[in-house]
Amino acid sequence: MRSGTIPNVRKFWRKTHRGDALSAQVQRLLVRTLYTQPTSLAIGAINGIVSSAVAAWLTNSPLLWVGCVALSLVAVARVTAAFGLSPDDSGRSTRQLELVYETGAFSYAFLLGALAGITILIEASAPVQVLMVANAMGYGIGICARNAGRPTIALGQLFLTSLPVMSAAFIEGSVAMLLFGANMVLLVPAMASITINVFTVLRQSFAQAEKSAKLAEEMQILARTDVVTGLANRAGLNHQLEELVAGMEPDQMFAMFWLDLDHFKEVNDILGHTTGDDLLRQVSERLTAYAPDGSIISRFGGDEFVVVAEVKHRADCEMLAGVLQQELSRSYALAEDRVQVGSSMGIALMPEDSKDLHGLMQAADLALYHAKINGRNQANFFTPSMTRELVRRKEIEAELRAAIQKDELSIFFQPIVDLETGRIRTFEALVRWFHPEKGELRPDEFIPVAEETGVIITLGNWITAQAAKACAQWPEDVTIAVNLSPAQIKAPGAALGILSALREARLDPSRLELEVTESLFLDDSETTTNFIEELASQGVRFALDDFGTGYSSLGYINKFPFKKIKVDRSFVSGDHAGGKSEAIIHAVAEMGARLGMDIVAEGIETIEQVRSVRELGCTLGQGYYFSRAVPDYLAAMLLAQERESEHGLRQVG
Ligand code: C2E
Ligand code: CA
Ligand code: CA
């Protein structure tokens, strides 16, 4: 027994007396085990009081009476303390709680042992001795098990009950009592070993539970954090927002800024994901630096960030939006490059726009959506009308997908006329949607939706195929112009799709003209260059559409093989026509003449405009003056008439 017990006890002693051996939390839990079931303590106390009183009464020993009174006082004090002291009472230290218990327990144990010892020493009757000794030893052993959570106390109590009994047994000196005493000597280390084993198991399970709780907490924090930026992720945002709303005062106002980086996808595609992550981190640093203290900042996913801050007025909100957008628009140092990225922002206020979180997020998301379709790089506040517009867009998206199959779409053709001869040189293919309920829809209403949703790819392929088929029926000197959206060009296999449409229609590539706008060149992407070069090498021509409305950097006119520049109709017949516009048309026409390009004036509605643009140097014209866009059979008729009469479409001279 020695060999097993002593090292065990030593080990335990070292552990319990080394400050860092037990975490404060576990220690508290173990001390708390002392205070569980105060009722059992009360039952034990009553038993001790009644037994000792009976023993004193039966023996009529004054010593036992004194002991009985002392025991009763201690017992009552202990029970009162146990019921009165809450172990959860954070006002008391663990040590204090332990000390209160210790004092009571040790005194009670010693008194119980002493009373039993006295019954042996005064040679009380056998039943009285049995009553008191059994009581003391039962208590000593039982308490060891009960208090194994604090072994010092448990063993101290056992020792203090057994010591007087043991001593009395040895003093009495009869063979039976000597044997009893010897048994007790062995009992103490045996119980010590058991207690320590129980304690070890208890401590391990508490420590394990504490570790699991800590781990669970860590996992939860991890689950709410975005790994790339360290900001809250979507789950983290939800959690923090719920807390925010729960603690919101009636006069408080919060603003939600929902941000989306413009053209982040391109950064990712061109510079790689590591650089993309780096950009996201830098964005998160700037948001953290410039959002007011106490704001919620999260990466909602992809390139979307959500900032929620308390504001006093709407003006605060505008200012903050401006600051955030300005900071985000400063260039970023990325992979030895400096990159500039704009951001679109949707803003919604709580409680003004919505009193609940779901509504607030929906409002901010809608406002962001509007900022994006309004041309990006801007901040939009939520307005109630946004909801209706969105519904209409969603409707259009769903119906557009079905429209191609249902034959609701058709291509109309608008002639582009030689301003010298009046003859048709090209037809521009313009899509029309005849909706069974909504009537004729203008491309301006559904092309942007098609572009945003990706439907433009299917739609664009269909348009090119139809246009090529129509053109194949026309005289060889008439070409077809097809509008291309940037999204179509950036789709994989875009050039192949166009070449196969030409092959299927048996149309020579040189009879196809693709109209692209300046927005295509905003991001100097390799895909665009490859697309244009591949098709140009096959003979397909390119025209620069809506010239003057976009970003008008002349660099790309030089870089790409444009055969035509189409001056936007706002310079010809729009509000800005005249004076300055004429100067611009003249300059463009002069440049065109030098570079061997045709210059088309769009939107010609009157004979005066025809004369004016021709004088300014435009070679081609398009507009209602000549013809609106017409169905294919009418286009064919216009061509036939023209060839028969050998006259141009309308008078141009
Ligand atoms: P756009 O390429 O600038 O097409 C010319 C637009 O100006 C056409 O409007 C045409 O009907 C209109 N127009 C022509 N002459 C006149 C005129 O004298 N006065 C006025 N006020 N307008 C005139 P539409 O057909 O509504 O097309 C609008 C825009 O939709 C087009 O502008 C083009 O950007 C886009 N679009 C049309 N069809 C297609 C297509 O098949 N694919 C793609 N990607 N975009 C298309
Ligand atoms: Ca066009
Ligand atoms: Ca145009």
Side-chain angles (χ1 to χ4, degrees):
M1 185 167 285
R2 261 185 74 94
S3 61
T5 309
I6 301 306
N8 230 358
V9 174
R10 265 203 222 113
K11 217 160 72 192
F12 141 77
W13 209 252
R14 254 184 278 127
K15 276 192 176 165
T16 43
H17 286 80
R18 214 171 43 199
D20 60 353
L22 283 174
S23 84
Q25 186 85 20
V26 172
Q27 198 135 3
R28 185 93 180 170
L29 278 172
L30 289 171
V31 169
R32 201 179 282 188
T33 61
L34 297 175
Y35 284 90
T36 49
Q37 301 172 313
T39 341
S40 77
L41 190 78
I43 294 170
I46 292 168
N47 176 44
I49 295 168
V50 173
S51 303
S52 56
V54 168
W57 175 61
L58 288 177
T59 53
N60 216 2
S61 150
L63 209 53
L64 282 183
W65 274 122
V66 172
C68 170
V69 171
L71 185 90
S72 303
L73 288 175
V74 171
V76 170
R78 284 188 78 199
V79 173
T80 316
F83 279 105
L85 274 183
S86 161
D88 299 317
D89 190 348
S90 47
R92 270 169 236 278
S93 71
T94 305
R95 186 69 206 128
Q96 266 176 332
L97 289 174
E98 207 174 21
L99 217 67
V100 169
Y101 189 91
E102 238 167 33
T103 316
F106 287 160
S107 327
Y108 185 80
F110 179 73
L111 285 170
L112 206 60
L115 282 165
I118 292 167
T119 60
I120 295 173
L121 289 177
I122 63 168
E123 293 180 350
S125 68
V128 173
Q129 283 192 37
V130 168
L131 172 71
M132 289 315 291
V133 171
N135 225 319
M137 294 328 295
Y139 176 82
I141 292 166
I143 208 72
C144 250
R146 184 189 181 275
N147 288 351
R150 287 321 276 152
T152 333
I153 298 178
L155 292 175
Q157 282 177 281
L158 175 66
F159 183 72
L160 287 171
T161 34
S162 29
L163 185 70
V165 180
M166 205 169 16
S167 313
F170 283 128
I171 293 169
E172 199 266 358
S174 68
V175 180
M177 277 297 166
L178 283 176
L179 210 57
F180 175 57
N183 263 335
M184 300 266 283
V185 172
L186 294 177
L187 177 80
V188 174
M191 277 313 293
S193 167
I194 291 168
T195 307
I196 288 163
N197 283 342
V198 172
F199 168 70
T200 312
V201 171
L202 260 180
R203 194 187 51 178
Q204 272 169 0
S205 72
F206 280 146
Q208 198 58 46
E210 193 201 26
K211 217 163 115 187
S212 308
K214 235 191 210 155
L215 206 69
E217 202 183 298
E218 273 169 22
M219 297 288 280
Q220 195 155 47
I221 291 173
L222 213 63
R224 289 179 182 151
T225 308
D226 168 46
V227 276
V228 177
T229 60
L231 295 177
N233 59 14
R234 191 182 291 215
L237 174 72
N238 286 339
H239 177 72
Q240 291 187 38
L241 283 176
E242 274 161 22
E243 282 188 341
L244 180 97
V245 171
M248 193 171 163
E249 305 284 335
D251 58 341
Q252 271 184 312
M253 174 152 92
F254 288 96
M256 176 177 275
F257 302 86
W258 198 314
L259 289 129
D260 183 304
L261 303 180
D262 298 337
H263 305 294
F264 174 71
K265 201 181 159 301
E266 278 89 324
V267 173
N268 240 352
D269 289 349
I270 297 165
L271 301 176
H273 286 269
T274 321
T275 313
D277 285 356
D278 196 13
L279 173 63
L280 292 173
R281 264 189 295 275
Q282 293 191 37
V283 167
S284 84
E285 280 161 16
R286 290 187 193 181
L287 289 177
T288 314
Y290 289 94
D293 288 344
S295 305
I296 298 174
I297 307 169
S298 75
R299 177 174 169 226
F300 195 73
D303 57 351
E304 290 184 24
F305 292 83
V306 173
V307 175
V308 179
E310 188 177 357
V311 288
K312 289 268 167 289
H313 317 279
R314 221 186 163 86
D316 276 5
C317 196
E318 272 165 36
M319 211 162 69
L320 184 54
V323 169
L324 292 179
Q325 256 191 331
Q326 195 187 342
E327 285 309 317
L328 293 188
S329 69
R330 281 193 295 114
S331 69
Y332 296 85
L334 290 177
E336 293 161 26
D337 260 329
R338 291 206 76 84
V339 175
Q340 226 154 359
V341 184
S343 62
S344 305
M345 192 189 276
I347 308 163
L349 298 170
M350 180 150 85
E352 199 174 306
D353 296 326
S354 170
K355 287 186 177 55
D356 65 84
L357 279 178
H358 181 70
L360 180 74
M361 294 185 80
Q362 221 170 21
D365 188 28
L366 266 173
L368 170 65
Y369 180 79
H370 275 258
K372 285 205 271 190
I373 59 177
N374 286 342
R376 298 176 181 271
N377 206 11
Q378 55 184 291
N380 279 186
F381 274 91
F382 170 78
T383 60
S385 69
M386 287 177 173
T387 327
R388 264 172 285 138
E389 236 175 274
L390 182 83
V391 169
R392 182 165 162 77
R393 277 179 171 270
K394 290 265 171 227
E395 255 173 37
I396 290 179
E397 181 193 342
E399 289 173 350
L400 194 53
R401 289 181 194 275
I404 306 174
Q405 266 89 37
K406 291 199 280 183
D407 245 359
E408 288 171 16
L409 294 170
S410 53
I411 315 281
F412 275 35
F413 300 91
Q414 187 179 34
I416 299 174
V417 174
D418 189 318
L419 289 177
E420 214 45 64
T421 62
R423 288 179 62 120
I424 298 170
R425 293 260 298 266
T426 306
F427 276 105
E428 179 177 0
L430 294 165
V431 66
R432 294 287 177 267
W433 182 2
F434 299 96
H435 193 281
E437 285 139 37
K438 297 188 180 104
E440 186 184 332
L441 292 173
R442 308 282 304 174
D444 291 332
E445 284 184 84
F446 63 87
I447 293 285
V449 180
E451 285 174 344
E452 276 160 38
T453 52
V455 181
I456 191 68
I457 311 230
T458 322
L459 181 62
N461 287 338
W462 179 81
I463 293 168
T464 313
Q466 300 296 308
K469 262 187 230 161
C471 182
Q473 312 296 318
W474 303 332
E476 294 221 335
D477 57 344
V478 180
T479 57
I480 178 82
V482 174
N483 293 286
L484 281 191
S485 299
Q488 269 174 280
I489 293 166
K490 283 172 182 148
L496 274 178
I498 288 170
L499 290 173
S500 80
L502 288 172
R503 217 174 304 119
E504 218 156 281
R506 296 173 190 282
L507 189 72
D508 191 280
S510 65
R511 291 179 68 193
L512 176 67
E513 239 166 56
L514 296 175
E515 295 191 2
V516 297
T517 54
E518 291 164 302
S519 65
L520 182 62
F521 306 105
L522 255 187
D523 45 344
D524 186 20
S525 101
E526 215 175 307
T527 329
T528 309
T529 314
N530 292 343
F531 174 86
I532 295 181
E533 279 173 0
E534 187 175 349
L535 290 175
S537 74
Q538 299 287 315
V540 175
R541 295 159 197 238
F542 283 87
L544 189 57
D545 203 358
D546 300 344
F547 185 80
T549 56
Y551 311 88
S552 297
S553 141
L554 295 178
Y556 48 78
I557 294 187
N558 204 17
K559 187 172 169 193
F560 298 105
F562 290 114
K563 291 279 187 295
K564 245 182 213 173
I565 291 178
K566 300 184 79 178
V567 177
D568 191 70
R569 67 166 178 267
S570 58
F571 294 93
V572 178
S573 54
D575 297 340
H576 305 294
K580 264 190 194 162
S581 291
E582 287 187 358
I584 292 170
I585 298 175
H586 184 60
V588 176
E590 216 160 81
M591 176 184 75
R594 257 186 230 156
L595 297 173
M597 295 183 204
D598 273 318
I599 303 298
V600 187
E602 289 186 321
I604 298 177
E605 294 178 353
T606 63
I607 182 74
E608 289 76 27
Q609 285 162 358
V610 175
R611 292 194 183 118
S612 158
V613 297
R614 207 177 46 182
E615 264 160 40
L616 291 168
C618 295
T619 50
L620 300 171
Q622 176 181 10
Y624 297 165
Y625 173 73
F626 301 109
S627 167
R628 292 188 176 247
V630 294
D632 54 356
Y633 67 93
L634 279 181
M637 229 160 79
L638 286 177
L639 284 172
Q641 273 173 7
E642 182 187 272
R643 309 263 141 174
E644 244 169 55
S645 68
E646 279 307 319
H647 282 302
L649 191 57
R650 276 190 88 155
Q651 177 195 356
V652 292

